[in-house]
Amino acid sequence: AQSVSQHNHHVILSEAASLELGCNYSYGGTVNLFWYVQYPGQHLQLLLKYFSGDPLVKGIKGFEAEFIKSKFSFNLRKPSVQWSDTAEYFCAVKASYDKVIFGPGTSLSVIP
Amino acid sequence: NAGVTQTPKFQVLKTGQSMTLQCAQDMNHNSMYWYRQDPGMGLRLIYYSASEGTTDKGEVPNGYNVSRLNKREFSLRLESAAPSQTSVYFCASRQGTDHSGNTIYFGEGSWLTVV
């Protein structure tokens, strides 16, 4: 069965620090990968997605992610975080058929 | 654009009561989903429907039933609500299997409390 794990439950950073959030999935076949963000009081929004081609994908608001097939990973990065990046971040994988599974989420707090 | 609309937004139920969460999308998407979100557990897939007329179990289907009424609508029913079903429920949709990589669009959520 497919599953998604995220390395950190809660991350606290100062503004301008670099961010890397880990995501690993378990599934041996072709996958589509996503990162979603949920700002306080809002519903989920897509940050970026990977489905084929260049394993380094760029998303909105300066976020990027790298798909490493051999490691079953899809880590999210941002060189310099802002206070407005405070949110919960979810990694997701579409594997078999049309089933889309989300990870448990990482809560990011950015201190001004 | 309405996107994904779910109702009701808030509901309080007594243990043992039944209720149906309604969801409709106006994007002509093939696939629809029901998730629940609980603190520390992320979004867990309850049921999904890859096309009109089909439904499949997700990660946590026990205690729930679904109906894909037509291409637009996908309802979630709690037959006998339990306190463990207190959660925020999200309906979502996407284009489907013929369009790899396309985005899932979420509704605004339904807050359900079972007392």
Side-chain angles (χ1 to χ4, degrees):
Chain A
Q2 65 193 78
S3 65
V4 180
S5 62
Q6 293 182 235
H7 301 175
N8 309 96
H9 181 62
H10 192 189
V11 173
I12 302 173
L13 294 173
S14 298
E15 272 192 323
S18 63
L19 170 72
E20 181 160 1
L21 301 181
C23 171
N24 286 91
Y25 65 92
S26 64
Y27 185 72
T30 302
V31 294
N32 302 148
L33 298 158
F34 307 85
W35 275 98
Y36 279 81
V37 61
Q38 187 177 33
Y39 298 104
Q42 298 186 26
H43 59 88
L44 282 85
Q45 304 170 37
L46 180 70
L47 272 180
L48 48 78
K49 63 186 179 185
Y50 170 83
F51 52 95
S52 66
D54 189 345
L56 184 63
V57 293
K58 295 190 183 299
I60 61 171
K61 304 185 181 185
F63 286 91
E64 64 178 31
E66 185 175 13
F67 170 50
I68 303 179
K69 189 174 180 179
S70 61
K71 295 185 178 181
F72 299 90
S73 69
F74 190 55
N75 292 355
L76 180 71
R77 300 194 291 249
K78 186 171 185 179
S80 175
V81 295
Q82 302 172 317
W83 176 79
S84 58
D85 292 324
T86 294
E88 190 141 16
Y89 293 79
F90 296 93
C91 181
V93 58
K94 186 197 86 69
S96 58
Y97 199 29
D98 213 35
K99 193 173 183 178
V100 181
I101 300 295
F102 283 77
T106 296
S107 177
L108 172 65
S109 298
V110 180
I111 303 169
Chain B
N1 292 337
V4 180
T5 304
Q6 53 182 110
T7 57
K9 194 170 179 66
F10 299 97
Q11 184 73 49
V12 179
L13 285 178
K14 293 182 178 179
T15 298
Q17 285 185 319
S18 62
M19 78 157 297
T20 300
L21 297 173
Q22 307 286 355
C23 176
Q25 51 89 10
D26 62 1
M27 296 174 282
N28 201 35
H29 284 170
N30 293 310
S31 301
M32 297 186 73
Y33 305 82
W34 276 106
Y35 292 91
R36 59 178 288 175
Q37 184 177 20
D38 303 287
M41 305 191 77
L43 282 86
R44 291 180 292 170
L45 181 63
I46 304 171
Y47 271 93
Y48 67 107
S49 170
S51 62
E52 186 179 352
T54 68
T55 60
D56 287 283
K57 294 179 180 179
E59 302 169 277
V60 288
N62 291 345
Y64 304 94
N65 286 302
V66 290
S67 296
R68 183 74 183 267
L69 304 170
N70 47 56
K71 192 171 186 179
R72 289 187 65 247
E73 298 173 288
F74 188 42
S75 62
L76 178 72
R77 183 160 178 85
L78 286 70
E79 291 291 353
S80 179
S84 60
Q85 294 178 305
T86 293
S87 188
V88 183
Y89 291 84
F90 287 95
C91 180
S93 71
R94 66 189 289 270
Q95 188 67 32
T97 55
D98 292 334
H99 301 267
S100 294
N102 44 44
T103 305
I104 296 179
Y105 294 88
F106 285 88
E108 294 192 345
S110 297
W111 276 253
L112 176 65
T113 301
V114 183
V115 298

